Amino acid sequence: MSQIKNYIYILVLLFSLSALSQKTIDNDPELTQNNINYRIAEAQAELDNFNYFKAKKNLDEALELAQQADLKKSIGLIYGLKGRLQLIIEEEDQAINSLTSAIEVQRNINDNKNLGTSYKTFGDVYSAKKDYYSALDSYTAAKSKFEEEGLNEYLAETLLQEGKVYEALKNYKKARDVIEQSLAIAKNYDFKKTLSDALINQAKIYEKIGNNDRALEIAHESVQIAKTNEFTSILNEGYFVLSNLYKNKDNHKASRDYLQAYVKLSDSIRSMTRINSPRNQEAQYLLSEEIEKNKQALEKLEKAEDTNNLQTLTSILSVALITILSLLTLSLYKNNNIRLKTNNMLHKKNAELIVAKEKAELASKTKANFLSTVTHELRTPLYAVTGLSNMLLDENPKPEQVQHLKSLKFSGDYLLTFINDILQINKIEANKVEVEPEPFNLKKKINNIILALNNSAQDNGVKMHFEYDKDLPENFIADQLKISQILINLIGNSIKFTKDGDIWIRVYKIEEAGKTYTLRFEVEDNGIGISQEKQDNMFESFSQGSIQINRKYGGTGLGLSIVKGLIDILKGKIYVKSELEKGTTFYFEIPLEKSTIKEGEENKVTYFEGNIEDIDLSTVKILVVEDNKINQMITKKILTKMELKCDIVDNGEAAVEKIKANNYNIVLMDIHMPGISGIEATKIVRSFDKELTIFALTAVTIEDKMHEFEEAGFTDIIPKPFKQEEFEKKLYNALAGKKGTSTSA
């Protein structure tokens, strides 16, 4: 008896050890991942041998393991492979489901390589379904990901598939151009399979456009590569294309020979795929399972003959129960099919929405880059327009020329304002605008804005009234520049649309919580008013009341869009109430933090306010680094007028050499130049001179490049086109700071 107990103890111990071992394997991520990788490799091997059903089984097992271990990257990869397999066996709707699942996972974990592959497979699925424009959208999304990751082989394959779609759409010129791009990459990186495939498709396109000689040359090259590397399917297609090409040239013997080679190879491929077709494999598997079940059932029946009636009754009841369960299973199967079709539709739409989102993001990025480039290119010549008009007005022009020059200056200033507005909108839409809080006197700030706009108001016969809540503090901490922009736009709008009337600017508190005050700002006028219809979209970009209003009052329609964007950034809200011919009131609410800093302490002096005569200008030397000849001439004239001497060079390399050979007080460095840029040149200068004052003269958007300017070592920035007064004050301020230092050359 004790011996039996010992055996039982040993068996329990063995089972425990087995369970513990299995638990260790299940909890080891590396082992799990290796297991998944093994099944994926097995699936790929079965796929290469046309054993689709076995490949599918391996992928299903790998997916189950990955889901249990929550290995996101593997889950996305396996869904993508399943989508590719389902495409091969012509289950396109199931492929869409799998690929949608893959994309959802891969987007969340930024698996760009496999995400691009899933998009490409999506394109192949849509191409198989002859939904060619959806296929092109998917290929565009795939190319974007492959370009980001530098995956040239995948990019070449995607371009080839895109070319095939254009060929199907009979857009042969576009197809040829796209496949040429694929060929260029494949040749450059020696991707032989893509090269062979691309060549045979290029040959087909040349046949379509009537260039049989070129098509023959390319097709032979493709067939040779396919033969050497045993690319069976490409070789087969090559034989067929060559047969057609020789037939076009009336070489019937060569055409027949290639056709026979094509038929022979096709039969071989067809035979292999038919024997190993997924449905045949599945049927064979299910049949063998059914035979095994029947054998087991027969054995049970034979045993049942030797049992009593109760066992027979039990068998009958079991059969009845199985029949009922079978009927239930059939019902569930039908319901599942209906649900699957619905899910297929939902997955397809979801996939289309994902691709559309990718396209929208790409379009938005392209638009932002385009606006940045165009506005920079416009600001550079504007430097010449505004600079020359200012200079000519200062050089005692003829009386009849003064008005023309003023008009030229006004046009330049207007165009600059328009460009700056576009840049501001672009930055707001791209979420690149940052809040920069600082202490300031709110009441004084609004008074200064009203004072600055008073001349425009008087020209229109408008009287402005300012009401500031007497119980409201004056000093706050907030982004005063953005608040100024908002008020200038709103008050400027009221002045523009009011003739011989009044404007009221009011500020008062609506809520207080500790140091945070929620203030309401109101700008009311008794001008022309706005219709209810126009109020609905007045905060959209380029939206104005009407064409007649635009022509009569001018403006770009960007001001209110900028106002809305800035108020959103400041975590506020804006409202409008208006009635035609009675006037308009804009009011906005924003939170501001009360400041304890006294009047006069909040701002540092930005510009030089001393006496210019205290600076010895005769010994000052300035280096101007500028490649544009007109801009060189304008900058030199401005400096000459300031009684300052300057040297001029037109590239970064020359600037570095000049600075090494001379002792300059100030360097005015352009950013975009041939050779090395102004930023690179400044970095080189800072390696041997840390103290030299270097101003960046630039037409780029300052906020976008500020970190680059700081890293390069610029002392300050002067944006082009600049106001002459600001330019002079910055230079004098820099020179005053160097007072007492050596300035000899």
Side-chain angles (χ1 to χ4, degrees), residues 439-453 466-469 472-476 480 483-484 487-488 491 505 507 519 521 592 597-605 609:
F440 73 107
N441 186 299
L442 178 62
K443 186 175 182 181
K444 182 180 176 183
K445 175 64 67 177
I446 299 172
N447 268 319
N448 289 340
I449 292 169
I450 293 169
L451 189 63
L453 295 173
F466 179 34
E467 300 172 12
Y468 192 90
D469 187 351
L472 193 63
E474 294 185 7
N475 294 310
F476 290 92
Q480 61 167 322
I483 293 172
S484 297
L487 289 169
I488 288 168
I491 297 170
I505 299 102
V507 184
L519 304 189
F521 297 75
L592 285 83
I597 297 176
K598 295 179 181 178
E599 174 67 25
E601 294 177 351
E602 71 273 12
N603 293 319
K604 295 180 180 179
V605 176
E609 295 181 354

Side-chain angles (χ1 to χ4, degrees), residues 330-340:
L330 181 63
S331 175
L332 286 170
Y333 174 75
K334 287 184 176 180
N335 288 336
N336 188 57
N337 274 348
I338 294 168
R339 188 168 66 252
L340 183 63

Side-chain angles (χ1 to χ4, degrees), residues 378-379 381-390 393 404-420 720-723:
L378 287 172
R379 284 162 72 98
L382 264 180
Y383 174 65
V385 173
T386 56
L388 286 170
S389 57
N390 278 325
L393 281 167
H404 298 315
L405 290 172
K406 285 184 177 179
S407 297
L408 177 64
K409 183 178 183 301
F410 172 81
S411 298
D413 290 341
Y414 178 83
L415 184 55
L416 179 60
T417 302
F418 181 45
I419 291 168
N420 289 337
K720 292 192 293 189
F722 50 74
K723 294 180 180 178

Side-chain angles (χ1 to χ4, degrees), residues 276-298:
N276 295 288
S277 72
R279 289 174 181 79
N280 287 344
Q281 292 170 31
E282 188 171 6
Q284 189 176 356
Y285 178 80
L286 293 173
L287 183 61
S288 62
E289 271 196 345
E290 195 61 37
I291 290 168
E292 187 61 32
K293 285 178 184 176
N294 287 339
K295 281 182 181 178
Q296 292 172 5
L298 186 59

Side-chain angles (χ1 to χ4, degrees), residues 97 336 338-348:
N97 292 346
N336 188 57
I338 294 168
R339 188 168 66 252
L340 183 63
K341 287 180 182 178
T342 307
N343 284 341
N344 285 344
M345 291 176 62
L346 289 172
H347 280 303
K348 181 180 177 182

